[in-house]
């Protein structure tokens, strides 16, 4: 069972917008602005999309955006494209004295 | 551009030790800004952080594997390593190495190495 809770799946049609949530606690998502989001295609390594809640690394399209409210972070993808299909993970720093980071279980995005 | 590449046996027998190395190119493993991490993904499942190591050798391990894991760093050859002892079928996974940034994100990843535990 993952420390951060994500929906197992979401879907949307090309051109639409979708949002993926990532729920944690005051010890991780809610307590720090160190939430990052990743896209993973089958057989590939995860790719960093969003860092520190809402910052996009160079080269990531502005269709991808991140936000946070309380203990829940969110990733929004606007103007869905076929290539956006894949699995999305959130990761957060944690103040746990036994772990550095905690992961979400992943959300499978299907582009209809 | 920083690149990471995992290498090691793809098949390990139960109860033996899994050993992987991650070669870093395009940047120095001795950078004071970054930690170096191992993350694994069992087939069809999510990601699990195994641990991180600094160039000085200081380490942080996931409690789920802490009793079995050892990470080391070789600054001369710009690589770091993972040893996981007493493996079982549950350790079958794709093992990724990655660079952990100061904002607790993982911007650079290796392509992943599938390790199967079977006799």
């Amino acid at each position: 069972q993952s420390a951060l809770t994500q929906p197992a799946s979401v879907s949307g049609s090309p051109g639409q917008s979708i949002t993926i949530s990532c729920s944690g606690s005051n010890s991780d998502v809610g307590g720090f602005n160190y939430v990052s989001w990743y896209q993973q295609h089958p057989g590939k390594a995860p790719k960093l999309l969003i860092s520190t809640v809402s910052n996009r690394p160079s080269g990531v399209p502005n269709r991808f955006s991140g936000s946070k409210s309380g203990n829940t972070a969110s990733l929004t993808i606007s103007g869905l494209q076929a290539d956006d299909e894949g699995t999305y993970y959130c990761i957060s720093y944690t103040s746990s004295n036994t772990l550095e980071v905690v992961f979400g279980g992943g959300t499978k995005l299907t582009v209809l | 551009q920083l690149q990471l590449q995992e290498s090691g046996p793809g098949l390990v027998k139960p109860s033996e030790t899994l050993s992987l190395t991650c070669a870093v190119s395009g940047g120095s493993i001795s950078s004071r800004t970054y930690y170096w991490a191992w993350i694994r993904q069992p087939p069809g499942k999510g990601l699990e952080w195994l641990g991180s190591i600094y160039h000085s050798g200081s380490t942080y391990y996931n409690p789920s594997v802490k009793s079995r894991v050892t990470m080391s760093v070789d600054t001369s050859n710009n690589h770091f390593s993972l040893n996981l002892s007493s493996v079982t079928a549950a350790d079958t996974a794709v093992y990724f190495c990655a660079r952990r940034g100061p904002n607790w994100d993982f911007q650079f990843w290796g392509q992943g190495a599938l390790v199967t535990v079977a006799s």
Side-chain angles (χ1 to χ4, degrees), chain B:
Chain B
Q1 177 80 340
L2 190 77
Q3 292 187 321
L4 294 85
Q5 177 70 58
E6 306 89 350
S7 61
L11 180 64
V12 180
K13 290 182 168 57
S15 80
E16 294 190 344
T17 296
L18 178 160
S19 296
L20 293 171
T21 294
C22 180
V24 178
S25 58
S28 173
I29 203 169
S30 297
S31 168
R32 295 182 180 183
T33 308
Y34 304 107
Y35 274 71
W36 306 91
W38 288 98
I39 296 165
R40 70 180 178 181
Q41 185 172 38
K45 296 187 178 180
L47 301 165
E48 178 185 28
W49 172 77
L50 297 179
S52 299
I53 186 165
Y54 195 52
H55 67 83
S56 63
S58 63
T59 53
Y60 299 89
Y61 297 144
N62 189 322
S64 70
V65 296
K66 187 173 184 177
S67 63
R68 301 191 291 129
V69 71
T70 304
M71 295 181 187
S72 60
V73 61
D74 182 343
T75 55
S76 298
N77 292 300
N78 223 39
H79 70 238
F80 61 107
S81 299
L82 168 73
N83 281 344
L84 184 66
S85 64
S86 305
V87 296
T88 69
D91 295 309
T92 293
V94 175
Y95 286 76
F96 295 101
C97 57
R99 189 187 78 176
R100 197 212 84 197
N103 293 322
W104 305 90
D105 54 22
F106 300 91
Q107 185 170 16
F108 294 99
W109 298 65
Q111 64 186 27
L114 174 62
V115 179
T116 301
V117 179
S119 54

